[in-house]
């Protein structure tokens, strides 16, 4: 189970990553500045992802807040987070496939 969670960490990183075309918009800016902006953008995207996931799972799993988290709510939170990450990874993979398909189609048209 721990290995599955480590693998999911990669999914979160992939979802929050910034592609090189985004950095290209910085033009001739200092490479250190570009890297700083990329890192800050990744942090912001990750924070947005965590906020979205927290809000969704809280609404789904928390009936009435109390001094302790019961086992049903804890299980619900774990499942909710895992499904959220799985869904994010699925969407990312689908978008990558779509991009590859578009690239392949464009290349076949130019031949």
């Amino acid at each position: 189970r721990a290995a599955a969670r480590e693998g999911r960490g990669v999914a979160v990183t992939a979802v929050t990553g910034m592609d090189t075309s985004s950095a290209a918009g910085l033009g001739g800016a200092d490479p250190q500045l570009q890297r700083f902006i990329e890192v800050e953008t990744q942090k912001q995207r990750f924070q947005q992802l965590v906020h979205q996931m927290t809000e969704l799972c809280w609404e789904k799993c928390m009936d009435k807040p109390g001094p302790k988290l019961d086992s049903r709510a804890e299980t619900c939170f774990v499942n909710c987070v895992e499904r959220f990450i799985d869904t994010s990874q699925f969407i990312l993979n689908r978008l990558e496939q779509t991009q590859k398909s578009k690239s392949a189609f464009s290349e076949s048209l130019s031949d």
Side-chain angles (χ1 to χ4, degrees), residues 16-30:
T16 61
M18 181 177 179
D19 66 17
T20 54
S21 63
S22 300
L26 298 173
D30 178 16

Side-chain angles (χ1 to χ4, degrees), residues 27-97:
D30 178 16
Q32 283 184 319
L33 177 60
Q34 287 179 349
R35 182 68 188 139
F36 174 78
I37 291 171
E38 288 174 12
V39 168
E40 291 303 310
T41 301
Q42 288 174 351
K43 286 180 188 177
Q44 181 183 18
R45 287 180 181 170
F46 182 75
Q47 288 173 344
Q48 288 172 339
L49 185 67
V50 169
H51 176 74
Q52 185 181 8
M53 182 176 55
T54 302
E55 185 176 347
L56 174 75
C57 294
W58 182 267
E59 292 297 320
K60 276 194 162 313
C61 300
M62 206 60 198
D63 294 330
K64 48 188 172 206
K68 289 177 67 175
L69 192 62
D70 64 11
S71 62
R72 186 203 64 76
E74 184 177 351
T75 301
C76 181
F77 277 116
V78 168
N79 289 333
C80 181
V81 169
E82 288 179 354
R83 294 303 70 79
F84 187 92
I85 292 170
D86 290 344
T87 302
S88 298
Q89 182 62 45
F90 173 80
I91 291 169
L92 179 66
N93 289 340
R94 185 69 176 118
L95 289 172
E96 287 175 353
Q97 288 174 352

